[in-house]
Amino acid sequence: LLQRTALDSSSKELQADQPAAAAFELGRRASTRTQTNTHTKQHKMRLLTHNVMNSHVPGVINGYPLKLTAEEVVVEETEFNPDFIVRMLPRLNWPVLYETAVKLGHGQGLPATVPENAEDDETFLKAAHHILLEIHVKKGKLECPESHKVFPISDGIPNMLLDDS
């Protein structure tokens, strides 16, 4: 039995100093699915999460964007929430999102640039919703553009831990 939790109106505004964590949390709360009979969360790395992540390898100056290589991608429908997409647009690096979507084979219908008056363009908002919240990388890797450190993605969870070597 799947239970869907919608984004509640009491969500905290994104903190400028923690955009990745806040975007991940908002995205998770926008369409979290949990199995109530086993209390096991299904983890999902959305392209929204990828878009705000950067490398934290010591000494790295330019750790964004992380190069995403996907081995397994899952598409899972979520309820369309145009207000959420409109609030996220200013926080996104659209060219990075577009390039990643195209690389993963999910760029169809997505414009290369955000259109003027995007908040009033339902077709654009639905395409942005799809690419941000419905495309999940279940298995793959993220690579720092400067250090080339590779971070694996397993079961939808990016492992950003640094080893001691």
Side-chain angles (χ1 to χ4, degrees), residues 55 57-66 143-149:
S55 177
V57 173
V60 167
I61 295 169
N62 182 20
Y64 182 85
L66 294 169
E143 182 180 336
C144 174
E146 187 176 314
S147 71
H148 303 288
K149 166 78 173 138

Side-chain angles (χ1 to χ4, degrees), residues 34-93:
T34 57
Q35 292 189 4
T36 55
N37 56 345
T38 62
H39 303 289
T40 305
K41 286 186 179 182
Q42 293 181 1
H43 298 280
K44 303 166 188 167
M45 193 190 97
R46 295 175 172 88
L47 294 189
L48 170 62
T49 305
H50 170 260
N51 194 261
V52 297
M53 293 178 80
N54 64 331
S55 177
H56 59 282
V57 173
V60 167
I61 295 169
N62 182 20
Y64 182 85
L66 294 169
K67 178 183 172 189
L68 174 62
T69 304
E71 296 173 29
E72 184 179 351
V73 175
V74 177
V75 178
E76 187 175 314
E77 278 190 33
T78 61
E79 187 176 337
F80 177 54
N81 184 340
D83 294 332
F84 175 76
I85 301 302
V86 168
R87 286 193 316 268
M88 287 307 300
L89 283 175
R91 295 170 172 92
L92 298 173
N93 183 325

